[in-house]
Amino acid sequence: MRRKLAAGNWKMNGTAASLRELNALKSLLPADAPDVVICPPAPLLFRACEAARETGISIGAQDCHMQESGAFTGDISAAMIADTGATYVIVGHSERREAHEERDRDVRKKAQTAWNAGLTAIICIGETLEDHEANNTLDIIAGQLAGSLPGDMTATNTVIAYEPIWAIGTGKVPTLEQIVEVHDFIRSKLAVRYGTDVADMIPLLYGGSVKPDNAATIFRAENVDGALVGGASLKAADFAPIIRALAQS
Ligand code: PGA
């Protein structure tokens, strides 16, 4: 059975006071909760790991550098992230691809570096509005999968998040049919490249304007194993119903 995962990406939001949301979340989790990971800003990683101790909630970073160490002022290595106690890192988020001009090969290198540090990589892919409207989604996704995933991905070191860029933070969500089509396509591409044993075990998350009121519909898709949630992960009261919807899916 493939595991289910609800991941919250706080982006550049939150200070130490926000960590109280972690404690609030714990008390709102159902007994049969799926895996939950919160990705706070880097300065909060250590304290978030302390706050999440014994809650069953995992902590992840939002990015790592592609090199193991060196003269990269302001950057954070995968080993530093692991040293805080965090166990996940998001790589290739569209906000990094766009604002920091990260290319597929950068993302691939980051995933590899994350694995070397013992982290699980949440690798993000997704098309622009322009590509969506031109019906290029599957071509873009195929290209990003080919370029962003290292060849030695295993069943346990990676989670893939499909996030249509036009759905992130916009309140717009693809139809269930569109989500089903892309997720089925991703799973089939993984099977061709890595074999069905690996492909069947990789959690595929949907991301982009997931909210308490649309989560249950999205989780109906067979190849959606969870969500990468931005805005609605900032408050336990919003994230908890999404987690509950995933548990019931
Ligand atoms: P959103 O962000 O849920 O606020 O749309 C999702 C993401 O960027 O991961």
mmCIF file with all atom_site columns, all heavy atoms in Angstrom, residues 9 11 90 93-95 124 163 167-171 207-211 228-233, ligand 1:
data_model
loop_
_atom_site.group_PDB
_atom_site.id
_atom_site.type_symbol
_atom_site.label_atom_id
_atom_site.label_alt_id
_atom_site.label_comp_id
_atom_site.label_asym_id
_atom_site.label_entity_id
_atom_site.label_seq_id
_atom_site.pdbx_PDB_ins_code
_atom_site.Cartn_x
_atom_site.Cartn_y
_atom_site.Cartn_z
_atom_site.occupancy
_atom_site.B_iso_or_equiv
_atom_site.pdbx_formal_charge
_atom_site.auth_seq_id
_atom_site.auth_comp_id
_atom_site.auth_asym_id
_atom_site.auth_atom_id
_atom_site.pdbx_PDB_model_num
ATOM   1   N N   . ASN A 1 9   ? 3.614  23.733 3.098   1.00 0.00 ? 9   ASN A N   1
ATOM   2   C CA  . ASN A 1 9   ? 4.737  24.593 2.711   1.00 0.00 ? 9   ASN A CA  1
ATOM   3   C C   . ASN A 1 9   ? 4.423  26.009 3.192   1.00 0.00 ? 9   ASN A C   1
ATOM   4   O O   . ASN A 1 9   ? 3.569  26.677 2.617   1.00 0.00 ? 9   ASN A O   1
ATOM   5   C CB  . ASN A 1 9   ? 4.885  24.541 1.182   1.00 0.00 ? 9   ASN A CB  1
ATOM   6   C CG  . ASN A 1 9   ? 5.920  25.520 0.655   1.00 0.00 ? 9   ASN A CG  1
ATOM   7   O OD1 . ASN A 1 9   ? 6.677  26.115 1.415   1.00 0.00 ? 9   ASN A OD1 1
ATOM   8   N ND2 . ASN A 1 9   ? 5.949  25.685 -0.662  1.00 0.00 ? 9   ASN A ND2 1
ATOM   9   N N   . LYS A 1 11  ? 6.276  28.538 3.030   1.00 0.00 ? 11  LYS A N   1
ATOM   10  C CA  . LYS A 1 11  ? 6.934  29.569 2.208   1.00 0.00 ? 11  LYS A CA  1
ATOM   11  C C   . LYS A 1 11  ? 7.598  30.611 3.130   1.00 0.00 ? 11  LYS A C   1
ATOM   12  O O   . LYS A 1 11  ? 8.047  30.248 4.215   1.00 0.00 ? 11  LYS A O   1
ATOM   13  C CB  . LYS A 1 11  ? 5.927  30.191 1.231   1.00 0.00 ? 11  LYS A CB  1
ATOM   14  C CG  . LYS A 1 11  ? 5.189  29.104 0.434   1.00 0.00 ? 11  LYS A CG  1
ATOM   15  C CD  . LYS A 1 11  ? 4.430  29.626 -0.734  1.00 0.00 ? 11  LYS A CD  1
ATOM   16  C CE  . LYS A 1 11  ? 3.759  28.452 -1.447  1.00 0.00 ? 11  LYS A CE  1
ATOM   17  N NZ  . LYS A 1 11  ? 3.043  28.844 -2.650  1.00 0.00 ? 11  LYS A NZ  1
ATOM   18  N N   . ILE A 1 90  ? 11.817 20.159 0.070   1.00 0.00 ? 90  ILE A N   1
ATOM   19  C CA  . ILE A 1 90  ? 11.155 20.434 -1.216  1.00 0.00 ? 90  ILE A CA  1
ATOM   20  C C   . ILE A 1 90  ? 12.235 20.888 -2.193  1.00 0.00 ? 90  ILE A C   1
ATOM   21  O O   . ILE A 1 90  ? 13.074 21.726 -1.838  1.00 0.00 ? 90  ILE A O   1
ATOM   22  C CB  . ILE A 1 90  ? 10.104 21.561 -1.054  1.00 0.00 ? 90  ILE A CB  1
ATOM   23  C CG1 . ILE A 1 90  ? 9.008  21.150 -0.069  1.00 0.00 ? 90  ILE A CG1 1
ATOM   24  C CG2 . ILE A 1 90  ? 9.505  21.937 -2.409  1.00 0.00 ? 90  ILE A CG2 1
ATOM   25  C CD1 . ILE A 1 90  ? 8.085  22.311 0.344   1.00 0.00 ? 90  ILE A CD1 1
ATOM   26  N N   . HIS A 1 93  ? 10.453 23.705 -6.450  1.00 0.00 ? 93  HIS A N   1
ATOM   27  C CA  . HIS A 1 93  ? 9.168  24.413 -6.391  1.00 0.00 ? 93  HIS A CA  1
ATOM   28  C C   . HIS A 1 93  ? 9.150  25.471 -7.493  1.00 0.00 ? 93  HIS A C   1
ATOM   29  O O   . HIS A 1 93  ? 10.170 26.096 -7.785  1.00 0.00 ? 93  HIS A O   1
ATOM   30  C CB  . HIS A 1 93  ? 8.983  25.057 -5.014  1.00 0.00 ? 93  HIS A CB  1
ATOM   31  C CG  . HIS A 1 93  ? 7.594  25.581 -4.809  1.00 0.00 ? 93  HIS A CG  1
ATOM   32  N ND1 . HIS A 1 93  ? 7.157  26.760 -5.370  1.00 0.00 ? 93  HIS A ND1 1
ATOM   33  C CD2 . HIS A 1 93  ? 6.535  25.062 -4.132  1.00 0.00 ? 93  HIS A CD2 1
ATOM   34  C CE1 . HIS A 1 93  ? 5.883  26.949 -5.042  1.00 0.00 ? 93  HIS A CE1 1
ATOM   35  N NE2 . HIS A 1 93  ? 5.479  25.935 -4.285  1.00 0.00 ? 93  HIS A NE2 1
ATOM   36  N N   . SER A 1 94  ? 7.985  25.704 -8.077  1.00 0.00 ? 94  SER A N   1
ATOM   37  C CA  . SER A 1 94  ? 7.924  26.638 -9.214  1.00 0.00 ? 94  SER A CA  1
ATOM   38  C C   . SER A 1 94  ? 8.367  28.045 -8.828  1.00 0.00 ? 94  SER A C   1
ATOM   39  O O   . SER A 1 94  ? 8.873  28.790 -9.664  1.00 0.00 ? 94  SER A O   1
ATOM   40  C CB  . SER A 1 94  ? 6.514  26.675 -9.796  1.00 0.00 ? 94  SER A CB  1
ATOM   41  O OG  . SER A 1 94  ? 5.597  27.132 -8.832  1.00 0.00 ? 94  SER A OG  1
ATOM   42  N N   . GLU A 1 95  ? 8.197  28.396 -7.541  1.00 0.00 ? 95  GLU A N   1
ATOM   43  C CA  . GLU A 1 95  ? 8.657  29.734 -7.123  1.00 0.00 ? 95  GLU A CA  1
ATOM   44  C C   . GLU A 1 95  ? 10.182 29.803 -7.142  1.00 0.00 ? 95  GLU A C   1
ATOM   45  O O   . GLU A 1 95  ? 10.753 30.878 -7.346  1.00 0.00 ? 95  GLU A O   1
ATOM   46  C CB  . GLU A 1 95  ? 8.069  30.072 -5.743  1.00 0.00 ? 95  GLU A CB  1
ATOM   47  C CG  . GLU A 1 95  ? 6.583  30.401 -5.859  1.00 0.00 ? 95  GLU A CG  1
ATOM   48  C CD  . GLU A 1 95  ? 5.758  30.152 -4.612  1.00 0.00 ? 95  GLU A CD  1
ATOM   49  O OE1 . GLU A 1 95  ? 6.335  29.991 -3.517  1.00 0.00 ? 95  GLU A OE1 1
ATOM   50  O OE2 . GLU A 1 95  ? 4.512  30.115 -4.740  1.00 0.00 ? 95  GLU A OE2 1
ATOM   51  N N   . CYS A 1 124 ? 9.089  18.970 -7.170  1.00 0.00 ? 124 CYS A N   1
ATOM   52  C CA  . CYS A 1 124 ? 7.902  19.631 -7.732  1.00 0.00 ? 124 CYS A CA  1
ATOM   53  C C   . CYS A 1 124 ? 8.023  19.824 -9.241  1.00 0.00 ? 124 CYS A C   1
ATOM   54  O O   . CYS A 1 124 ? 9.092  20.177 -9.754  1.00 0.00 ? 124 CYS A O   1
ATOM   55  C CB  . CYS A 1 124 ? 7.710  21.007 -7.101  1.00 0.00 ? 124 CYS A CB  1
ATOM   56  S SG  . CYS A 1 124 ? 7.507  20.965 -5.326  1.00 0.00 ? 124 CYS A SG  1
ATOM   57  N N   . GLU A 1 163 ? 2.195  20.450 -9.342  1.00 0.00 ? 163 GLU A N   1
ATOM   58  C CA  . GLU A 1 163 ? 1.613  21.743 -8.987  1.00 0.00 ? 163 GLU A CA  1
ATOM   59  C C   . GLU A 1 163 ? 1.495  22.619 -10.230 1.00 0.00 ? 163 GLU A C   1
ATOM   60  O O   . GLU A 1 163 ? 2.484  23.251 -10.636 1.00 0.00 ? 163 GLU A O   1
ATOM   61  C CB  . GLU A 1 163 ? 2.489  22.455 -7.960  1.00 0.00 ? 163 GLU A CB  1
ATOM   62  C CG  . GLU A 1 163 ? 2.651  21.700 -6.663  1.00 0.00 ? 163 GLU A CG  1
ATOM   63  C CD  . GLU A 1 163 ? 3.037  22.634 -5.522  1.00 0.00 ? 163 GLU A CD  1
ATOM   64  O OE1 . GLU A 1 163 ? 4.045  23.347 -5.642  1.00 0.00 ? 163 GLU A OE1 1
ATOM   65  O OE2 . GLU A 1 163 ? 2.314  22.659 -4.526  1.00 0.00 ? 163 GLU A OE2 1
ATOM   66  N N   . ALA A 1 167 ? -2.344 27.356 -10.673 1.00 0.00 ? 167 ALA A N   1
ATOM   67  C CA  . ALA A 1 167 ? -3.250 27.040 -9.565  1.00 0.00 ? 167 ALA A CA  1
ATOM   68  C C   . ALA A 1 167 ? -2.664 27.452 -8.212  1.00 0.00 ? 167 ALA A C   1
ATOM   69  O O   . ALA A 1 167 ? -3.368 27.434 -7.200  1.00 0.00 ? 167 ALA A O   1
ATOM   70  C CB  . ALA A 1 167 ? -3.563 25.546 -9.560  1.00 0.00 ? 167 ALA A CB  1
ATOM   71  N N   . ILE A 1 168 ? -1.385 27.810 -8.198  1.00 0.00 ? 168 ILE A N   1
ATOM   72  C CA  . ILE A 1 168 ? -0.731 28.102 -6.918  1.00 0.00 ? 168 ILE A CA  1
ATOM   73  C C   . ILE A 1 168 ? -1.122 29.492 -6.424  1.00 0.00 ? 168 ILE A C   1
ATOM   74  O O   . ILE A 1 168 ? -0.875 30.496 -7.091  1.00 0.00 ? 168 ILE A O   1
ATOM   75  C CB  . ILE A 1 168 ? 0.804  27.990 -7.041  1.00 0.00 ? 168 ILE A CB  1
ATOM   76  C CG1 . ILE A 1 168 ? 1.194  26.538 -7.347  1.00 0.00 ? 168 ILE A CG1 1
ATOM   77  C CG2 . ILE A 1 168 ? 1.486  28.493 -5.781  1.00 0.00 ? 168 ILE A CG2 1
ATOM   78  C CD1 . ILE A 1 168 ? 2.673  26.328 -7.588  1.00 0.00 ? 168 ILE A CD1 1
ATOM   79  N N   . GLY A 1 169 ? -1.743 29.518 -5.257  1.00 0.00 ? 169 GLY A N   1
ATOM   80  C CA  . GLY A 1 169 ? -2.098 30.785 -4.619  1.00 0.00 ? 169 GLY A CA  1
ATOM   81  C C   . GLY A 1 169 ? -3.166 31.576 -5.359  1.00 0.00 ? 169 GLY A C   1
ATOM   82  O O   . GLY A 1 169 ? -3.400 32.742 -5.048  1.00 0.00 ? 169 GLY A O   1
ATOM   83  N N   . THR A 1 170 ? -3.829 30.966 -6.325  1.00 0.00 ? 170 THR A N   1
ATOM   84  C CA  . THR A 1 170 ? -4.791 31.709 -7.156  1.00 0.00 ? 170 THR A CA  1
ATOM   85  C C   . THR A 1 170 ? -6.242 31.373 -6.841  1.00 0.00 ? 170 THR A C   1
ATOM   86  O O   . THR A 1 170 ? -7.141 32.089 -7.280  1.00 0.00 ? 170 THR A O   1
ATOM   87  C CB  . THR A 1 170 ? -4.571 31.371 -8.648  1.00 0.00 ? 170 THR A CB  1
ATOM   88  O OG1 . THR A 1 170 ? -4.763 29.958 -8.811  1.00 0.00 ? 170 THR A OG1 1
ATOM   89  C CG2 . THR A 1 170 ? -3.179 31.762 -9.114  1.00 0.00 ? 170 THR A CG2 1
ATOM   90  N N   . GLY A 1 171 ? -6.448 30.273 -6.129  1.00 0.00 ? 171 GLY A N   1
ATOM   91  C CA  . GLY A 1 171 ? -7.822 29.827 -5.907  1.00 0.00 ? 171 GLY A CA  1
ATOM   92  C C   . GLY A 1 171 ? -8.381 29.052 -7.090  1.00 0.00 ? 171 GLY A C   1
ATOM   93  O O   . GLY A 1 171 ? -9.500 28.553 -7.041  1.00 0.00 ? 171 GLY A O   1
ATOM   94  N N   . GLY A 1 207 ? -0.731 19.802 -5.763  1.00 0.00 ? 207 GLY A N   1
ATOM   95  C CA  . GLY A 1 207 ? -0.594 21.082 -5.069  1.00 0.00 ? 207 GLY A CA  1
ATOM   96  C C   . GLY A 1 207 ? -1.117 22.220 -5.915  1.00 0.00 ? 207 GLY A C   1
ATOM   97  O O   . GLY A 1 207 ? -1.009 22.193 -7.151  1.00 0.00 ? 207 GLY A O   1
ATOM   98  N N   . GLY A 1 208 ? -1.656 23.224 -5.250  1.00 0.00 ? 208 GLY A N   1
ATOM   99  C CA  . GLY A 1 208 ? -2.198 24.403 -5.938  1.00 0.00 ? 208 GLY A CA  1
ATOM   100 C C   . GLY A 1 208 ? -3.606 24.672 -5.451  1.00 0.00 ? 208 GLY A C   1
ATOM   101 O O   . GLY A 1 208 ? -4.545 24.008 -5.893  1.00 0.00 ? 208 GLY A O   1
ATOM   102 N N   . SER A 1 209 ? -3.730 25.612 -4.492  1.00 0.00 ? 209 SER A N   1
ATOM   103 C CA  . SER A 1 209 ? -5.038 26.034 -3.966  1.00 0.00 ? 209 SER A CA  1
ATOM   104 C C   . SER A 1 209 ? -5.842 24.891 -3.353  1.00 0.00 ? 209 SER A C   1
ATOM   105 O O   . SER A 1 209 ? -7.072 24.866 -3.474  1.00 0.00 ? 209 SER A O   1
ATOM   106 C CB  . SER A 1 209 ? -5.850 26.750 -5.049  1.00 0.00 ? 209 SER A CB  1
ATOM   107 O OG  . SER A 1 209 ? -5.199 27.954 -5.439  1.00 0.00 ? 209 SER A OG  1
ATOM   108 N N   . VAL A 1 210 ? -5.151 23.937 -2.717  1.00 0.00 ? 210 VAL A N   1
ATOM   109 C CA  . VAL A 1 210 ? -5.888 22.906 -1.968  1.00 0.00 ? 210 VAL A CA  1
ATOM   110 C C   . VAL A 1 210 ? -6.420 23.560 -0.688  1.00 0.00 ? 210 VAL A C   1
ATOM   111 O O   . VAL A 1 210 ? -5.675 24.217 0.044   1.00 0.00 ? 210 VAL A O   1
ATOM   112 C CB  . VAL A 1 210 ? -4.987 21.708 -1.607  1.00 0.00 ? 210 VAL A CB  1
ATOM   113 C CG1 . VAL A 1 210 ? -5.778 20.682 -0.779  1.00 0.00 ? 210 VAL A CG1 1
ATOM   114 C CG2 . VAL A 1 210 ? -4.435 21.053 -2.870  1.00 0.00 ? 210 VAL A CG2 1
ATOM   115 N N   . LYS A 1 211 ? -7.716 23.394 -0.459  1.00 0.00 ? 211 LYS A N   1
ATOM   116 C CA  . LYS A 1 211 ? -8.389 24.014 0.689   1.00 0.00 ? 211 LYS A CA  1
ATOM   117 C C   . LYS A 1 211 ? -9.273 22.964 1.352   1.00 0.00 ? 211 LYS A C   1
ATOM   118 O O   . LYS A 1 211 ? -9.561 21.924 0.750   1.00 0.00 ? 211 LYS A O   1
ATOM   119 C CB  . LYS A 1 211 ? -9.289 25.177 0.218   1.00 0.00 ? 211 LYS A CB  1
ATOM   120 C CG  . LYS A 1 211 ? -8.578 26.230 -0.629  1.00 0.00 ? 211 LYS A CG  1
ATOM   121 C CD  . LYS A 1 211 ? -7.650 27.116 0.189   1.00 0.00 ? 211 LYS A CD  1
ATOM   122 C CE  . LYS A 1 211 ? -6.919 28.108 -0.701  1.00 0.00 ? 211 LYS A CE  1
ATOM   123 N NZ  . LYS A 1 211 ? -5.642 28.547 -0.178  1.00 0.00 ? 211 LYS A NZ  1
ATOM   124 N N   . LEU A 1 228 ? 0.373  18.945 -1.473  1.00 0.00 ? 228 LEU A N   1
ATOM   125 C CA  . LEU A 1 228 ? 1.357  19.937 -1.026  1.00 0.00 ? 228 LEU A CA  1
ATOM   126 C C   . LEU A 1 228 ? 0.568  21.233 -0.914  1.00 0.00 ? 228 LEU A C   1
ATOM   127 O O   . LEU A 1 228 ? 0.051  21.745 -1.909  1.00 0.00 ? 228 LEU A O   1
ATOM   128 C CB  . LEU A 1 228 ? 2.511  20.052 -2.027  1.00 0.00 ? 228 LEU A CB  1
ATOM   129 C CG  . LEU A 1 228 ? 3.606  21.073 -1.694  1.00 0.00 ? 228 LEU A CG  1
ATOM   130 C CD1 . LEU A 1 228 ? 4.198  20.840 -0.309  1.00 0.00 ? 228 LEU A CD1 1
ATOM   131 C CD2 . LEU A 1 228 ? 4.739  20.997 -2.738  1.00 0.00 ? 228 LEU A CD2 1
ATOM   132 N N   . VAL A 1 229 ? 0.473  21.715 0.307   1.00 0.00 ? 229 VAL A N   1
ATOM   133 C CA  . VAL A 1 229 ? -0.457 22.803 0.618   1.00 0.00 ? 229 VAL A CA  1
ATOM   134 C C   . VAL A 1 229 ? 0.319  24.042 1.052   1.00 0.00 ? 229 VAL A C   1
ATOM   135 O O   . VAL A 1 229 ? 1.156  23.960 1.957   1.00 0.00 ? 229 VAL A O   1
ATOM   136 C CB  . VAL A 1 229 ? -1.412 22.369 1.755   1.00 0.00 ? 229 VAL A CB  1
ATOM   137 C CG1 . VAL A 1 229 ? -2.442 23.457 2.029   1.00 0.00 ? 229 VAL A CG1 1
ATOM   138 C CG2 . VAL A 1 229 ? -2.095 21.041 1.408   1.00 0.00 ? 229 VAL A CG2 1
ATOM   139 N N   . GLY A 1 230 ? 0.034  25.168 0.425   1.00 0.00 ? 230 GLY A N   1
ATOM   140 C CA  . GLY A 1 230 ? 0.690  26.413 0.814   1.00 0.00 ? 230 GLY A CA  1
ATOM   141 C C   . GLY A 1 230 ? -0.154 27.159 1.830   1.00 0.00 ? 230 GLY A C   1
ATOM   142 O O   . GLY A 1 230 ? -0.135 26.850 3.028   1.00 0.00 ? 230 GLY A O   1
ATOM   143 N N   . GLY A 1 231 ? -0.937 28.125 1.356   1.00 0.00 ? 231 GLY A N   1
ATOM   144 C CA  . GLY A 1 231 ? -1.697 29.013 2.232   1.00 0.00 ? 231 GLY A CA  1
ATOM   145 C C   . GLY A 1 231 ? -2.498 28.305 3.320   1.00 0.00 ? 231 GLY A C   1
ATOM   146 O O   . GLY A 1 231 ? -2.487 28.729 4.485   1.00 0.00 ? 231 GLY A O   1
ATOM   147 N N   . ALA A 1 232 ? -3.168 27.211 2.960   1.00 0.00 ? 232 ALA A N   1
ATOM   148 C CA  . ALA A 1 232 ? -4.041 26.543 3.931   1.00 0.00 ? 232 ALA A CA  1
ATOM   149 C C   . ALA A 1 232 ? -3.263 25.688 4.937   1.00 0.00 ? 232 ALA A C   1
ATOM   150 O O   . ALA A 1 232 ? -3.872 25.054 5.801   1.00 0.00 ? 232 ALA A O   1
ATOM   151 C CB  . ALA A 1 232 ? -5.079 25.685 3.200   1.00 0.00 ? 232 ALA A CB  1
ATOM   152 N N   . SER A 1 233 ? -1.924 25.681 4.841   1.00 0.00 ? 233 SER A N   1
ATOM   153 C CA  . SER A 1 233 ? -1.154 24.933 5.853   1.00 0.00 ? 233 SER A CA  1
ATOM   154 C C   . SER A 1 233 ? -0.684 25.837 6.992   1.00 0.00 ? 233 SER A C   1
ATOM   155 O O   . SER A 1 233 ? -0.125 25.359 7.978   1.00 0.00 ? 233 SER A O   1
ATOM   156 C CB  . SER A 1 233 ? 0.060  24.244 5.217   1.00 0.00 ? 233 SER A CB  1
ATOM   157 O OG  . SER A 1 233 ? 1.054  25.195 4.854   1.00 0.00 ? 233 SER A OG  1
HETATM 158 P P1  . PGA B 2 .   ? -1.139 27.178 -2.352  1.00 0.00 ? 1   PGA B P1  1
HETATM 159 O O1  . PGA B 2 .   ? 0.421  26.833 -2.596  1.00 0.00 ? 1   PGA B O1  1
HETATM 160 O O2  . PGA B 2 .   ? -1.737 26.018 -1.615  1.00 0.00 ? 1   PGA B O2  1
HETATM 161 O O3  . PGA B 2 .   ? -1.108 28.432 -1.504  1.00 0.00 ? 1   PGA B O3  1
HETATM 162 O O4  . PGA B 2 .   ? -1.741 27.373 -3.682  1.00 0.00 ? 1   PGA B O4  1
HETATM 163 C C1  . PGA B 2 .   ? 0.809  25.550 -2.964  1.00 0.00 ? 1   PGA B C1  1
HETATM 164 C C2  . PGA B 2 .   ? 2.306  25.474 -3.135  1.00 0.00 ? 1   PGA B C2  1
HETATM 165 O O5  . PGA B 2 .   ? 2.910  26.411 -3.669  1.00 0.00 ? 1   PGA B O5  1
HETATM 166 O O6  . PGA B 2 .   ? 2.924  24.474 -2.741  1.00 0.00 ? 1   PGA B O6  1
#
